[in-house]
């Protein structure tokens, strides 16, 4: 028997089929799995050598799954905030100066911020993914990781990226429980049609998810319309690309009937509430859910979001959809919690392993302080989780049976040292990028001023 741990005295929001909320129950963890829920005395007798951790006054949730991120982009925190079409005018020009080490350091900081904000799993999509994987494993967060593949337009394009995207899956499949490899074609307009078909076949053969951006900008929609005479979603649908193993970030610039195509194909549109709100155009997440499309939630990167705080993202998800639909019925707290637990686990193909606190499931847990000012008085537990809490209320985080955050502190590395590293690497990247691109340099000075 491996290391065992008894998580005691908390309120457990199980997210099981009955949606049981259990007060004062203990959770027994052996090695990487939850093995039992029950009364303290009974579990102490059954697991006499287990370490006891007292979580009185805390709420224990299944580990929250952040379904769309680019943790490495910590180096570009907030850089698109003041710029229209920031993806094309800032992000991609900066990324031309990226090194593998930048991606590693960015991923350390991004993964650390994500886990401190309550994510136990990040679904990530970026360049130099081998270096990102090294970082996420060191931080101790679970990652569904895909090496970004682009055939045109982007900062790093070419056949070698396609080969590396597939090789990454083969290298990592079954190798480390914290790394679930997937395929990451960039978007519908930046990856050639024959590559998309190859990747679709490869994903089916290797049983790995496909994670891409879809209908994320007017430019993408215009290009697909020009080339194929249809919308981005319908283009992929007709290609036979869409399916229950596809996670599609954004799905903003879509036509009316494309929601039905997302629903009927089982595709998971990914709603990124803060990034969409700051971009001025949210995804119609609630309408999609009403039409049977299996929407899920991600923070996206700190470049477009500014923080990596999945717990805080939940209240923005609710607020933004209520504003958009002019309805207080949109996105109840119970539904929002499902999207980042059970539904997200299903989207990444791990519904029998993640997304609930139940015997047999992996011990990924997000534990919130519930004895402070932000949640008192607690009249409605689920509403208080979604609408009162932010990442600052994340007390502890377990991933794969190990405590990664304890009492708001990262256990796996020194946070102060990380701040210095990300600051140095970020300024270094920006200096190189501005020095090599006069237009970017002008845009930077006029948008943000100051010196680096
Ligand atoms: Zn993205």
């Amino acid at each position: 028997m491996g290391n065992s741990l008894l998580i005691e005295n908390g309120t457990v929001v199980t997210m099981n089929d009955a949606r049981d909320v259990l007060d004062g129950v203990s959770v027994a963890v052996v090695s990487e799995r939850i093995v039992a829920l029950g009364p303290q005395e009974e579990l102490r007798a059954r697991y006499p050598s287990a370490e006891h951790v007292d979580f009185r006054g805390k709420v224990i949730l299944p580990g929250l799954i952040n379904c769309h991120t680019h943790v490495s982009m910590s180096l570009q925190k907030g850089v698109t905030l003041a710029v229209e079409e920031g993806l094309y005018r800032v992000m991609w020009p900066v990324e031309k100066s990226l090194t593998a080490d930048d991606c590693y350091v960015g991923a350390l900081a991004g993964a650390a911020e994500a886990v401190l904000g309550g994510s136990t799993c990040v679904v990530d999509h970026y360049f130099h993914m081998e270096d990102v994987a090294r970082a996420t494993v060191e931080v101790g967060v679970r990652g569904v990781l895909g090496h970004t593949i682009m055939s045109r337009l982007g900062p790093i394009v070419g056949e070698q990226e396609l080969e590396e995207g597939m090789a990454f899956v083969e290298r990592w499949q079954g190798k480390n429980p914290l790394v679930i490899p997937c395929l990451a074609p960039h978007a519908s307009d930046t990856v050639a049609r024959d590559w998309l078909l190859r990747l679709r076949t490869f994903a089916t053969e290797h049983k790995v998810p496909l994670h891409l951006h879809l209908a994320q900008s007017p430019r993408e929609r215009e290009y697909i319309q020009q080339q194929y005479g249809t919308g981005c979603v319908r283009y992929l649908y007709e290609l036979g690309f869409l399916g229950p193993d596809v996670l599609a970030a954004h799905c903003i610039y879509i036509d009316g009937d494309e929601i039905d195509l997302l629903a009927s194909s089982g595709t998971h549109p990914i709603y990124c509430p803060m990034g969409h709100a700051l971009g001025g155009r949210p995804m119609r997440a609630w309408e999609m859910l009403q039409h049977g499309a299996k929407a899920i939630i991600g923070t996206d990167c700190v470049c477009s979001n500014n923080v990596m705080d999945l717990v805080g993202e939940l209240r923005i998800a609710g607020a933004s959809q209520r504003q958009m639909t002019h309805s207080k019925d949109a996105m109840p707290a119970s539904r929002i919690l499902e999207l980042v637990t059970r539904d997200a686990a299903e989207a990444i193909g791990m519904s029998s392993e993640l997304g609930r606190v139940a015997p047999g499931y992996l011990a990924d847990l997000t534990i919130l302080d519930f004895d402070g000012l932000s949640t008192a008085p607690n009249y409605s537990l689920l509403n208080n989780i979604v609408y009162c809490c932010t990442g600052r209320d994340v007390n502890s985080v377990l991933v794969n049976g190990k405590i990664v955050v304890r009492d708001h502190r990262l256990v796996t590395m020194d946070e102060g040292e990380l701040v210095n590293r990300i600051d140095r690497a970020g300024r270094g990247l920006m200096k190189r990028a501005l020095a090599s691109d006069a237009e970017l340099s002008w845009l930077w000075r006029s948008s943000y001023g100051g010196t680096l």
Side-chain angles (χ1 to χ4, degrees):
M1 195 158 73
N3 290 343
S4 49
L5 192 65
L6 292 179
I7 292 164
E8 300 183 330
N9 301 318
T11 298
V12 182
V13 179
T14 63
M15 299 307 287
N16 64 12
D17 290 340
R19 302 294 189 274
D20 290 322
V21 174
L22 307 170
D23 254 326
V25 76
S26 293
V27 180
V29 173
V30 175
S31 297
E32 75 280 11
R33 286 191 191 272
I34 296 162
V35 292
L37 273 70
Q40 186 183 69
E41 291 316 314
E42 190 187 311
L43 294 190
R44 282 191 179 192
R46 215 193 302 172
Y47 302 98
S49 61
E51 182 193 342
H52 309 159
V53 191
D54 187 4
F55 282 116
R56 193 178 304 272
K58 317 283 180 237
V59 166
I60 295 157
L61 292 166
L64 305 186
I65 302 172
N66 188 345
C67 282
H68 183 65
T69 63
H70 312 280
V71 285
S72 291
M73 291 183 76
S74 291
L75 275 71
Q76 297 191 60
K77 183 166 274 185
V79 300
T80 61
L81 198 57
V83 181
E84 275 296 329
E85 293 207 298
L87 168 65
Y88 305 106
R89 296 172 70 211
V90 181
M91 265 193 225
W92 286 0
V94 169
E95 284 168 346
K96 283 186 180 155
S97 298
L98 264 183
T99 64
D101 199 53
D102 287 337
C103 288
Y104 170 69
V105 175
L108 284 178
E113 194 183 338
V115 81
L116 284 162
S119 300
T120 55
C121 179
V122 292
V123 182
D124 203 273
H125 188 309
Y126 209 53
F127 310 106
H128 299 290
M129 191 44 70
E130 194 64 27
D131 299 276
V132 177
R134 189 157 54 95
T136 54
V137 168
E138 284 176 28
V139 170
V141 68
R142 202 181 292 280
V144 179
L145 307 179
H147 179 83
T148 296
I149 297 163
M150 302 179 90
S151 65
R152 62 184 289 275
L153 288 182
I156 303 175
V157 299
E159 186 92 28
Q160 74 282 357
E161 302 304 308
L162 172 67
E163 296 303 331
E164 172 56 18
M166 295 188 286
F168 180 84
V169 169
E170 284 172 338
R171 276 201 303 277
W172 283 96
Q173 219 169 12
K175 187 176 163 191
N176 186 317
L178 293 187
V179 178
I180 301 113
C182 71
L183 288 169
H186 177 266
S188 68
D189 63 331
T190 50
V191 183
R193 188 185 170 103
D194 59 324
W195 288 20
L196 288 171
L197 288 170
R198 256 182 93 179
L199 292 169
R200 175 64 269 175
T201 305
F202 188 95
T204 306
E205 283 172 5
H206 288 74
K207 298 188 171 56
V208 292
L210 284 152
H211 177 206
L212 81 168
H213 302 95
L214 181 58
Q216 70 169 328
S217 71
R219 277 201 209 187
E220 181 184 355
R221 178 158 71 175
E222 276 159 33
Y223 177 81
I224 296 296
Q225 189 67 41
Q226 267 169 15
Q227 292 290 310
Y228 305 106
T230 187
C232 306
V233 174
R234 182 172 286 283
Y235 162 59
L236 290 190
Y237 179 82
E238 288 174 355
L239 212 54
F241 184 93
L242 298 181
D245 55 358
V246 176
L247 286 74
H250 311 314
C251 296
I252 295 172
Y253 296 91
I254 59 172
D255 299 321
D257 65 342
E258 289 186 319
I259 288 182
D260 295 327
L261 302 181
L262 290 169
S264 66
S265 62
T267 302
H268 301 273
I270 310 163
Y271 176 37
C272 302
M274 186 65 172
H276 293 176
L278 288 174
R281 182 91 184 241
M283 184 179 112
R284 288 141 62 189
W286 181 242
E287 188 184 341
M288 287 182 185
L289 287 165
Q290 300 302 100
H291 281 79
K294 296 185 163 183
I296 45 181
I297 292 177
T299 59
D300 209 344
C301 58
V302 295
C303 186
S304 56
N305 184 319
N306 303 280
V307 292
M308 192 79 83
D309 171 1
L310 185 57
V311 175
E313 198 80 12
L314 305 182
R315 69 204 291 266
I316 305 166
S320 181
Q321 290 299 308
R322 286 177 179 207
Q323 185 174 35
M324 187 179 198
T325 56
H326 301 207
S327 167
K328 285 198 77 167
D329 295 334
M331 291 291 227
S334 57
R335 192 74 191 95
I336 292 174
L337 284 173
E338 287 170 353
L339 300 186
V340 286
T341 56
R342 296 168 61 105
D343 292 15
E346 185 192 323
I348 61 172
M350 295 185 74
S351 56
S352 59
E353 304 259 53
L354 293 174
R356 26 193 125 176
V357 185
Y361 279 71
L362 289 167
D364 286 17
L365 302 171
T366 300
I367 299 168
L368 302 174
D369 284 328
F370 243 73
D371 48 5
L373 270 182
S374 59
T375 52
N378 177 22
Y379 300 131
S380 167
L381 179 65
L382 300 191
N383 279 331
N384 279 20
I385 292 169
V386 169
Y387 289 105
C388 299
C389 292
T390 69
R392 293 203 174 107
D393 299 295
V394 174
N395 177 279
S396 296
V397 172
L398 263 80
V399 181
N400 215 43
K402 291 211 171 69
I403 296 179
V404 180
V405 174
R406 183 77 205 272
D407 288 332
H408 306 271
R409 307 300 302 172
L410 199 57
V411 172
T412 47
M413 52 191 66
D414 185 291
E415 214 177 309
E417 198 179 304
L418 264 184
V419 173
N420 290 333
R421 287 181 80 175
I422 188 71
D423 197 57
R424 228 178 11 249
R427 288 176 196 282
L429 169 65
M430 286 301 163
K431 277 182 189 162
R432 290 197 307 279
L434 299 190
S436 63
D437 187 326
E439 196 182 324
L440 179 67
S441 179
W442 171 84
L443 186 65
W444 183 270
R445 277 199 315 276
S446 57
S447 303
Y448 300 107
T451 50
L452 281 167

